[in-house]
Amino acid sequence: MEISFTDKDLEFRDEIRSWIENDYPKHVKEKQDKGEALTKEDITDFHKAIAAKGWMGFNWPTEYGGTGWTSTQIYIFQKEFGLAGCPAILPFGVAMVGPVIYTFGNEEQKKRFLPDILNFNTWWSQGYSEPGSGSDLASLSTKAVKEGDHYIVNGSKTWTTLAQHSDWIFNLVRTETTEKRQEGISFLLIDMKSPGVEVEPIITIDGAHEVNTVFFTDVKVPAENLIGEEGKGWTYAKFLLANERFGIAVVGAEIRQLNKLKEIVSKLNNSDLSRKVKKLEIDLSALEISGLRMLSDIETKGHPGPESSILKIRGTEIQQRLTELFVEAAGEHALIYPGPKGHEADSQPDGPDYAAKALAKYLNYRKTSIYGGSNEIQKNIIAKMILGL
Amino acid sequence: MEISFTDKDLEFRDEIRSWIENDYPKHVKEKQDKGEALTKEDITDFHKAIAAKGWMGFNWPTEYGGTGWTSTQIYIFQKEFGLAGCPAILPFGVAMVGPVIYTFGNEEQKKRFLPDILNFNTWWSQGYSEPGSGSDLASLSTKAVKEGDHYIVNGSKTWTTLAQHSDWIFNLVRTETTEKRQEGISFLLIDMKSPGVEVEPIITIDGAHEVNTVFFTDVKVPAENLIGEEGKGWTYAKFLLANERFGIAVVGAEIRQLNKLKEIVSKLNNSDLSRKVKKLEIDLSALEISGLRMLSDIETKGHPGPESSILKIRGTEIQQRLTELFVEAAGEHALIYPGPKGHEADSQPDGPDYAAKALAKYLNYRKTSIYGGSNEIQKNIIAKMILGL
Amino acid sequence: MDLNFSDEQKMLREEIQKFCMSDYTFEKREEIIKSGEGFDRDFWKLFSELGWLSLPFNEDSGGFGCGPVELSILFEEFGKVLVLEPYLSTVVLSGYIIDNSSFSQRVEFVEAITSGNKHVSLAYIEPNQNFDHADPETSAVNDGENIIINGKKSLVLNGGNADDLIVWVSYDDKKALILIDKEQSGLSFIEFPTVDGQTCTEISFKDVNVSKDAILAIGDEAEGLLNEAINLATLCVSAESIGCMTACYMKTIEYTKGRQQFGQPISKFQVLQHRMVDMFMETEVCKSLLYKAMLECDSNQDTKSKSVSALKYQIGTSGRLVSQEAVQLHGGMGVSDEMLIGHYLKKLVAIDALFGNSDYHLKKY
Amino acid sequence: MDLNFSDEQKMLREEIQKFCMSDYTFEKREEIIKSGEGFDRDFWKLFSELGWLSLPFNEDSGGFGCGPVELSILFEEFGKVLVLEPYLSTVVLSGYIIDNSSFSQRVEFVEAITSGNKHVSLAYIEPNQNFDHADPETSAVNDGENIIINGKKSLVLNGGNADDLIVWVSYDDKKALILIDKEQSGLSFIEFPTVDGQTCTEISFKDVNVSKDAILAIGDEAEGLLNEAINLATLCVSAESIGCMTACYMKTIEYTKGRQQFGQPISKFQVLQHRMVDMFMETEVCKSLLYKAMLECDSNQDTKSKSVSALKYQIGTSGRLVSQEAVQLHGGMGVSDEMLIGHYLKKLVAIDALFGNSDYHLKKY
């Protein structure tokens, strides 16, 4: 056992750091460091820069154009990006649909979709949740009916992150009504420009437009957009979920936030808050080691176990707690909230400059324990899969 | 609305205080104040003294020899006894079986049992839980089979508090196997001296012998010991449970403990512990008002609602927390534990004198969230009866 | 001892409930927020007509002489539907100070307030301080018959709509409360939206010149009035919180009963049941502390400020827990701005920020 | 970076597990406690034969030169069955100090310990201090070739069985660690049972006269040795706690699967399931902090003492939660002295009291 990095790991880390130092697009960095909202163009520029370096497929095998990095390298890459305050890499293409395509798609599909993901030429969205089916994903009712060489899709998907910017959406759709609900589900890729696709914004309590409902009305989808076999969509969806490595990806960003918070709190002379920050620091350090333990397991067994549910739960709890403590640090100045974009440059209130951002994040992050399988569902999974209850 | 006591209430309180000052048996007081274990004789002396004053039936109507006090008076009585550090009044006779007998028993039974309860001539135990039926009380299997003018009882009751001292035990027994399990249950009084009754001690984790298992082997019980109707025992049991007013009875004693704790902590210069004590003080003050609100409801509606479940939960949480904080105050001296009776007078360890008692209580009080309907069951009751879930 | 509300108090609650339930819809509330006015002037007029604006004022100034109990009832009901109108600012904070001062135009001012024609805001918070505003940097100095005020106040509730301001200043080696017409020259304002859909204002005072007649109170009297007003306002927002929490658990029960997942209403899942029980119990604990605080305030007991601190501490802690759980149990709908549930969470953030948060009051207790 | 145990470490764990599972039954443990000896001398002999007593000692004193990782494995497994034997006292605390001191008879002493023939206890705690024992009141003063010791030590683990004592004293204006034969005149003892079924001793020193050769270390060296020993012991009891917590949740799972109520095993109730998940997750959090602390201790990083504080803080908090939940979910059986489950709770109380409790270490962190 050894907690330190090898020299090779440290060299790798320096390479990442050097990219961030030199090639992380300056206009994105500037906004990001100030906590300003990024435009669609900013986000695209950031991803294109990563793609240019060949790092977009950071979690892909080399045969599909990925980096072929070890788990430790992926961890270092994500942590360094987080520590440096880079925007999150959008998971929908590279972490979600990409691995599904190269694992279950046909050669045609691989050629057609993978390069655009690696070059960030297509912006993907995820079509899983529906207005009527949240945690109970298998109850989804969006229908895809085969007509000749097309599917006709009707229904809706909701909580679709950044669908307003996206080119493509991958969907779980019902192609058959079966007794076992999971068996009638298929995995279908839909071009967002298809006639009959409509995007309706959902404004969240922080006032932001980040998520949407996507409506499908008689949308004609070529049959070649079906991944794998009809009725096997549930298997692919589960593969995708298991591939998510929540909690590790965010550690770097959370450490950066924590350090900011520590700096703020060190000037407040507030022992209660200092104590809470210490507790959170310990929680975060446990989370990081838990993530590393999971990586060790992946290296040994080839895949993460249901333990990743623990990371999801603890990770979101820590994220949320961190946003709470920023709000507490803002004290009475947490009363003012100008919305997710913050104050106009010429009308800042007198008071801590982080207050508005703190509130935006506190409100926005309430979602983290709900999405991606609510924390209640994660506990059900742990109870069943790990504890055998 | 008025939170202060009326002059009449204050007069009543002075009467209680004067009894405690003059008539609370000195030898009991001395042991109790030192935290020494009371013998059977001590407990009896204490109850007999209350009986002599005519206060044993503090919660009974005058027609059965009770005091006929208002809820406010009962509250004052119990709080003052608690504040003065008096032992708890044993509930089994006066608060449990007594009201069942005068409400559902026949004249014969009232004459036979009530005076002995009021004079503490009989020590009662409660025979509810069984080894196989804890929270699921209705699954009880102790059988009473009618043979002529007797019942033959076979089975066992467990967690029977102080059964080693008791003269009588009131039991829920199964007189019939019915589809609805509650319908075959009857309420039967059994003389502990009957042949076939055996008491086996259970030692709890604090090392104390307070609870027992009581075994019944072919115990012959006269049919006239049945209360009310055969098969109606469940109704009487529910009446009895609703009559318990947990949380109010202990407020006085808990305030006394809290004040002791505050005195100890004030000398420790430990801000963390001081903060925890403050929180607990607020919790306790909320508990007291919650109890008073329930009393108001009783005065208005004639009976407590399912809200009493809240008092049980919060009350035991506060009790347990209080014992925890004493242990924390003892710091490293919480390592030594000589058992429930404390150290021999000639071999006290150097260190805080409350450490051994603190541990005894911490360990002993783990039971409070389990007995009398576990806190999980209480939450089920609230969910169903109050929230309509 | 009597913990039952009087018939008059019950009637008052019913009247307020009736208004809140029928008139204060989510849509109406959204409309008020979008208007940018901070509140609805017709509703304010109605509050005046119903006598609600007169509740806490002394009878000799034309009020009903009601106390903390009635205010708690009002705010608890307001909390359930998240009423935006600036009752706290105009009636409770400023109203209390004016009504209990020896100010010469006291009765006229109270009448102007109760008739709904005047708004007054209390400017006591300063940006470089946090929760403790005993020592204002904003100062008033003598200049012959007049005084000159310089300084800055922030987080002035409803400051944008106020006709007059009560300003908390240092005056020689004492403190003072001074009443200033908002049109007075030397004042400048920046208005900000609050997290709970209202507005507050940052106000700068540059050589503001007012007559000494504008002094409402000086020294101990001024400190006493400010502290009493804040204490009463703390009680009011705590009652409002309890209204929010009550609505949170009731709406969560209703939502979970209607939401089907895995073939049954999610209200049938025992884990969610116990968590709703916890929400309910937290609310009840707060309610008990409210009873204690409001009755001790009512009878002006020595311990009242301590009881209010206990209450505000618990409100902060329980309010956060209850509103977060309400959002969580609503799932995605909980974080949608189109459901009331997330707005309770925002209201409870605002209340925690007002008059000292949970930690502050635990320390003070 | 590599968080996998080596094959040797896995084999060590298996060997210890085998002993614990087959030999360390509840009945046997009860028997040991009732004997009043504090531990079983045959088991101790066995530990010696299996080489466990030699694990942490330096190779040049005949040990295996194992580090914090192997000790953590040992203590985690010991925790699962609540081993009573005084490994902590004799091998970890006293063993570390002797083995790393420049004491002339170091090798003989280590051999006596590893052969199972000698017990040594560390007397560093004083009754009037709490957790922080940097400044002992017990003093040693020069008397020609000898030194004279006066004072009192309490909570000396396994003091009753010790052949020798290491005493932490003030010596001139420095601190020192002094090795004393227990038969030395001027010593008096009172033995007490500990809450976890072991024993500890209060020791008074009255003009205890020993040769200067008995001084193990003085000044910075003494402080360093004591702090390192306590740091290592803190790591060990934390690993032991994790063993306890693991047993707590596993036994609770097993119990709830067998316990029928309302027509089904209570393990089917979702509320209990989620609470067992919480128990499991708390244990995992502690385990992650253990990994960090043991590996930082292993590579002697600057941050190791901070990592140990983080661990001990979390152990105190999680240990209480997990053991209380284990008792609660066992219902009546949980508070019965005849079930192991309540003994875990007692062990975790003892561990929280050792080497600084949760609050102490959070403050120190």
Side-chain angles (χ1 to χ4, degrees), chain B residues 131-132 134-136 159 203-205 271-272 276 324 328 332-333 335 337 347 349-350 362 366 369-370 376, chain D residues 127 129-131 133 152 192-195 202 259 261-262 275 320 324 328 331-332 335 337 346 353 359 363:
Chain B
S135 293
D136 182 11
W159 311 119
I203 305 300
T204 43
I205 50 173
S271 63
D272 290 316
K276 294 177 192 177
E324 279 175 28
E328 280 191 43
E332 53 198 346
H333 301 278
L335 185 67
Y337 183 55
S347 68
D350 206 342
Y362 171 67
R366 300 316 312 163
S369 49
I370 296 168
E376 290 75 25
Chain D
Q129 302 172 333
N130 202 7
F131 296 137
H133 301 286
K152 195 179 205 179
F192 298 101
T194 62
V195 63
E202 189 175 288
R259 173 82 175 161
Q261 294 274 275
F262 304 103
R275 283 165 64 175
R320 181 188 284 177
Q324 289 182 352
Q328 180 72 19
V335 293
D337 210 45
K346 291 198 266 189
D359 281 346
K363 202 159 242 164

Side-chain angles (χ1 to χ4, degrees), chain A residues 110-128:
Chain A
K110 290 180 196 171
K111 268 189 227 145
R112 183 168 163 215
F113 293 109
L114 296 183
D116 282 342
I117 291 174
L118 288 179
N119 295 313
F120 205 75
N121 291 334
T122 43
W123 187 311
W124 282 88
S125 283
Q126 181 188 36
Y128 271 29

Side-chain angles (χ1 to χ4, degrees), chain A residues 41-57:
Chain A
E41 287 64 39
D42 295 329
I43 299 173
T44 305
D45 292 347
F46 172 67
H47 285 81
K48 290 261 185 199
I50 298 171
K53 177 73 182 173
W55 285 351
M56 198 64 213

Side-chain angles (χ1 to χ4, degrees), chain A residues 350-361:
Chain A
D350 207 340
D353 58 1
Y354 55 85
K357 278 289 142 200
L359 272 167
K361 234 174 167 178

Side-chain angles (χ1 to χ4, degrees), chain D residues 45-258:
Chain D
K45 201 75 205 156
L46 182 68
F47 290 4
S48 167
E49 285 161 22
L50 290 167
W52 298 350
L53 301 185
S54 307
L55 284 178
F57 290 103
N58 293 312
E59 290 179 26
D60 69 358
S61 32
F64 292 162
C66 289
V69 179
E70 287 77 9
L71 285 177
S72 295
I73 291 173
L74 180 97
F75 272 90
E76 189 183 340
E77 296 306 323
F78 277 8
K80 290 181 189 168
V81 294
L82 297 174
V83 165
L84 296 159
E85 279 58 32
Y87 197 103
L88 184 74
S89 166
T90 294
V91 180
V92 179
L93 284 167
S94 305
Y96 181 89
I97 290 172
I98 293 171
D99 194 28
N100 291 283
S101 72
S102 44
F103 180 48
S104 60
Q105 300 171 56
R106 178 173 69 85
V107 177
E108 294 91 307
F109 257 79
V110 168
E111 273 173 10
I113 288 173
T114 57
S115 65
N117 294 321
K118 195 186 259 304
H119 284 277
V120 187
S121 287
L122 173 64
Y124 76 102
I125 295 178
E126 301 201 355
N128 295 325
Q129 302 172 333
N130 202 7
F131 296 137
D132 186 353
H133 301 286
D135 287 310
E137 285 177 21
T138 300
S139 66
V141 292
N142 284 329
D143 181 40
E145 284 306 289
N146 286 5
I147 44 176
I148 315 271
I149 302 169
N150 276 288
K152 195 179 205 179
K153 295 287 176 181
S154 64
L155 304 172
V156 180
L157 299 175
N158 195 41
N161 294 309
D163 304 295
D164 297 85
L165 301 169
I166 299 172
V167 191
W168 171 238
V169 297
S170 292
Y171 182 44
D172 289 338
D173 57 344
K174 292 180 175 150
K175 312 290 185 300
L177 289 163
I178 300 175
L179 188 68
I180 305 183
D181 187 314
K182 225 180 72 181
E183 300 302 318
Q184 189 72 32
S185 73
L187 293 172
S188 59
F189 304 87
I190 318 178
E191 196 163 307
F192 298 101
T194 62
V195 63
D196 56 346
Q198 297 176 308
T199 59
C200 70
T201 313
E202 189 175 288
I203 306 178
S204 299
F205 301 82
K206 192 165 163 43
D207 295 330
V208 176
N209 192 315
V210 295
S211 151
K212 280 187 181 166
D213 295 344
I215 299 175
L216 286 177
I218 300 186
D220 289 349
E221 192 196 349
E223 287 179 40
L225 283 173
L226 181 71
N227 289 339
E228 290 285 332
I230 291 175
N231 202 54
L232 188 63
T234 309
L235 181 77
C236 289
V237 295
S238 298
E240 194 177 15
S241 285
I242 289 172
C244 291
M245 286 186 247
T246 305
C248 275
Y249 80 73
M250 289 183 65
K251 280 177 188 292
T252 303
I253 290 171
E254 196 186 320
Y255 178 79
T256 56
K257 281 181 166 180

Side-chain angles (χ1 to χ4, degrees), chain D residues 4-5 28 73 102 205 209-210 246 287 315 317 329 354:
Chain D
N4 294 303
F5 288 99
K28 177 67 193 172
I73 291 173
S102 44
F205 301 82
N209 192 315
V210 295
T246 305
K287 211 178 265 184
I315 285 291
T317 306
L329 269 56
L354 286 171

Side-chain angles (χ1 to χ4, degrees), chain C residues 68 71-72 88 92-93 96-97 122 124 223-239 290 292-294 296-298 300-312 355 360-361 364:
Chain C
L71 285 177
S72 295
L88 185 74
V92 179
L93 284 167
Y96 181 88
I97 290 173
L122 174 63
Y124 76 102
E223 288 179 38
L225 283 172
L226 182 71
N227 289 339
E228 290 285 333
I230 291 175
N231 202 53
L232 187 63
T234 309
L235 182 77
C236 288
V237 295
S238 299
L290 172 68
K292 187 176 166 78
M294 76 185 182
E296 288 192 2
C297 286
D298 195 43
N300 200 24
Q301 292 183 26
D302 299 343
T303 49
K304 70 178 181 183
S305 143
K306 196 168 180 177
S307 290
V308 168
S309 279
L311 171 62
K312 189 63 165 52
F355 315 125
Y360 175 84
H361 278 285
K364 195 170 162 224

